Amino acid sequence: MNIDNNSSSNRGHWTSAFGFIMAAAGSAVGLGNLWKFPYLVGQNGGSAFIVIYALLLLFIGIPLVIAEITIGRFGQLNPVGSYGLISPKLKWIGAMGLVTGFILLAFYPVVGGWIVYYLYHSFVSVGENPDYAKIFADYTSNPTLPIITLFIFSILNYIIVALGVEKGIEKYSKIMMPALLVILVIVMIRTLSLEGSWEGVKFIFQPDFSKVTGKVILSAVGQVFFSLSLGMGALMTYGSYLSKKDNLFKSSISIPFIDTLVALLATIAIMPAVFAFKFEPAAGPSLIFVTLPAIFAKMPMGVFISAIFFILMLFAALTSSISMLEGLVSYMIDRWHWKRFTATTIIALIVFLLGIPCSLSFGMLKDVTIFSNKTIFDSMDFLASNILLPLGGILMAICVGWIWDGGLRYETIIVKNQKGNPDVITNGYVFNSCLMEITNQGTLNFPFMSAWIFIVKWVAPLVIFLIFIDNL
Ligand code: PHE
């Protein structure tokens, strides 16, 4: 089967390897890096958390990023279609990813809306000695304002995806991602030049392993999956727009590094300021929306820093949520032959409606709980980040390592001549199709191949499984 010819017509393709890297890194770099990572570091004993995170990243995250992109590039289709090409019996794993996508899109853009509001707020005076915790609570519990900002964020998300792979996602990621890095460095320099910031740097880089518990490891696993966009098929969809000629390994390997770099830079940009102004490093989720605005207000050039910081957050959140939306849209386009415009409009509308109860769970619906006393918003976050993404990861690893096969096979190789008659018959090792895909039919080098196979087959499924059990 010539997969390239059969599907490339209206699906779109990245115009360059750089375009793919920016889009995929854009998917990975998001609220997970700028919002969750710094507060998890703050809550879980500084760099001890970073060390655990780095180990999980190296031994599970990076190999699975390669696996997910490989499935997409192999199938040149949405997650359901690509799994289906490995075996029709596996389509449900892709379908589970689509469900995860809907759940992510229910709560993630709500925070995107908060960012829109705080960006606007950067320019508005809030009076003498404002109570930032109250400002945040008043805003998020308001019945209409957060829905309006959710709507604004959703429209931006919608426009970029409706514009398509090259003219929307790739084009805007190529602008937003480099801009994001520059802004992050500016904010970091500003923070590090504050008096007393050194305490924060020490906090980040001096490990305190006494803080490491089972729960810390669990949250690190969830964070690896969430931050790398792993397990729902977002990277798979982006991989499906790679051409069969691209060097998959080379392009994919930079994504986890950019993602981790941004998470570390964000932590260095935020934590030292928390220390310099004597705030609580373990503030948790409110770090960005309560602690930081208070810090910006005290900081020389605070309005400027606050505005560019929230622009940075907006870019990061957008490039991630477009990848969630694209996974769903690509399914409608491939499977049901919908026009991109129709598919994007309908899905964007549905997820906007799903976002409303999540948004209201900070106000009107705050007493409605789903899982063990978690609000609607928290339940969606928990279900997607801590359960469905790692579960999608285990299933993907099992599929690639065991069903799609993961090793070398000793076989009789028959090389045919131009007339199609057997020319050379020999015994030797052949790559199975998964490794064939990564190496472009054996023509490219794939470093650490045996280690990768071992991890995908054994380490990743077992470790995630054990952490799940521990959690139950
Ligand atoms: N990786 C994104 C972040 O860090 C979130 C995300 C998860 C995006 C899953 C796509 C799929 O914010």
Side-chain angles (χ1 to χ4, degrees):
M1 178 178 41
N2 189 337
I3 297 164
D4 254 342
N5 286 348
N6 122 36
S7 59
S8 58
S9 48
N10 58 19
R11 295 193 84 243
H13 269 292
W14 307 115
T15 61
S16 64
F18 178 71
F20 164 73
I21 294 172
M22 286 300 104
S27 167
V29 171
L31 299 173
N33 308 61
L34 301 175
W35 175 53
K36 275 191 171 175
F37 191 83
Y39 86 64
L40 286 172
V41 171
Q43 280 180 332
N44 297 317
S47 67
F49 179 81
I50 300 182
V51 173
I52 308 279
Y53 181 87
L55 289 174
L56 289 167
L57 177 84
L58 200 62
F59 290 110
I60 295 180
I62 297 179
L64 290 190
V65 164
I66 296 171
E68 184 168 330
I69 294 174
T70 305
I71 299 177
R73 215 272 298 257
F74 165 74
Q76 301 273 300
L77 286 170
N78 65 85
V80 181
S82 292
Y83 270 115
L85 281 181
I86 296 176
S87 160
K89 290 200 196 93
L90 298 174
K91 279 188 180 171
W92 64 274
I93 307 179
M96 200 183 90
L98 298 187
V99 174
T100 313
F102 274 109
I103 298 176
L104 285 166
L105 278 164
F107 74 90
Y108 200 89
V110 171
V111 185
W114 296 354
I115 295 166
V116 171
Y117 178 75
Y118 272 76
L119 178 58
Y120 153 79
H121 223 257
S122 301
F123 300 102
V124 181
S125 157
V126 282
E128 290 283 300
N129 285 328
D131 178 348
Y132 286 94
K134 188 169 175 302
I135 293 177
F136 180 65
D138 285 349
Y139 159 66
T140 50
S141 62
N142 184 300
T144 48
L145 199 51
I147 294 179
I148 296 172
T149 52
L150 166 66
F151 184 72
I152 298 174
F153 183 85
S154 305
I155 289 279
L156 294 173
N157 201 11
Y158 163 72
I159 292 174
I160 298 175
V161 175
L163 283 171
V165 178
E166 300 94 333
K167 295 204 187 82
I169 301 173
E170 178 173 345
K171 184 173 154 203
Y172 287 95
S173 302
K174 280 202 292 205
I175 301 169
M176 288 193 272
M177 285 306 290
L180 178 150
L181 273 176
V182 173
I183 297 175
L184 188 54
V185 171
I186 297 176
V187 178
M188 192 182 73
I189 293 172
R190 182 72 200 90
T191 309
L192 290 180
S193 59
L194 290 169
E195 206 177 314
S197 62
W198 198 241
E199 281 309 304
V201 178
K202 275 206 275 191
F203 173 77
I204 300 170
F205 290 106
Q206 274 174 4
D208 176 4
F209 283 101
S210 67
K211 292 253 167 67
V212 177
T213 60
K215 220 184 113 245
V216 172
I217 298 177
L218 180 75
S219 55
V221 176
Q223 178 62 11
V224 166
F225 276 86
F226 186 80
S227 188
L228 291 175
S229 307
L230 258 178
M232 72 146 279
L235 291 179
M236 201 177 290
T237 309
Y238 278 11
S240 77
Y241 303 131
L242 275 174
S243 124
K244 292 280 182 185
K245 295 189 198 82
D246 288 323
N247 188 331
L248 190 156
F249 175 78
K250 236 170 103 185
S251 301
S252 313
I253 199 72
S254 45
I255 298 159
F257 285 100
I258 299 175
D259 189 63
T260 310
L261 178 74
V262 172
L264 289 176
L265 289 181
T267 312
I268 302 174
I270 294 171
M271 276 305 157
V274 173
F275 278 82
F277 289 104
K278 308 212 165 22
F279 279 92
E280 176 53 54
S286 63
L287 185 66
I288 292 273
F289 298 103
V290 176
T291 311
L292 276 190
I295 290 172
F296 291 144
K298 289 188 179 177
M299 206 187 236
M301 289 190 346
V303 174
F304 171 70
I305 294 292
S306 171
I308 63 169
F309 180 81
F310 284 107
I311 290 177
L312 159 86
M313 292 279 290
L314 184 66
F315 285 177
L318 263 178
T319 49
S320 296
S321 61
I322 57 180
S323 74
M324 299 170 186
L325 190 56
E326 179 62 22
L328 304 180
V329 167
S330 74
Y331 174 70
M332 294 302 172
I333 295 177
D334 294 338
R335 178 67 183 83
W336 304 106
H337 304 293
W338 285 10
K339 291 232 157 53
R340 172 168 285 273
F341 179 75
T342 319
T344 318
T345 309
I346 293 176
I347 307 256
L349 201 67
I350 295 174
V351 296
F352 170 68
L353 295 176
L354 290 176
I356 294 176
C358 286
S359 176
L360 291 178
S361 72
F362 291 88
M364 242 155 73
L365 302 181
K366 71 174 184 301
D367 297 324
V368 180
T369 55
I370 304 182
F371 297 115
S372 56
N373 284 330
K374 286 189 164 64
T375 62
I376 303 176
F377 180 100
D378 289 342
S379 301
M380 295 300 127
D381 183 9
F382 176 77
L383 185 63
S385 317
N386 290 7
I387 303 200
L388 291 174
L389 290 179
L391 191 61
I394 292 197
L395 293 170
M396 178 173 71
I398 293 174
C399 163
V400 171
W402 295 92
I403 302 175
W404 202 11
D405 208 348
L408 295 168
R409 267 198 304 262
Y410 193 73
E411 263 187 12
T412 305
I413 305 165
I414 304 170
V415 180
K416 291 182 178 157
N417 65 18
Q418 280 187 328
K419 288 192 189 120
N421 300 322
D423 205 14
V424 188
I425 302 181
T426 171
N427 285 329
Y429 285 103
V430 291
F431 291 125
N432 65 53
S433 52
C434 169
L435 292 171
M436 285 285 249
E437 186 61 41
I438 300 182
T439 59
N440 293 4
Q441 316 304 316
T443 58
L444 294 177
N445 186 16
F446 176 24
F448 311 111
M449 185 170 69
S450 327
W452 181 80
I453 295 169
F454 180 69
I455 288 173
V456 172
K457 256 186 135 133
W458 297 100
V459 181
L462 276 175
V463 170
I464 307 168
F465 180 72
L466 287 178
I467 292 167
F468 262 144
I469 295 286
D470 191 46
N471 194 28
L472 294 175

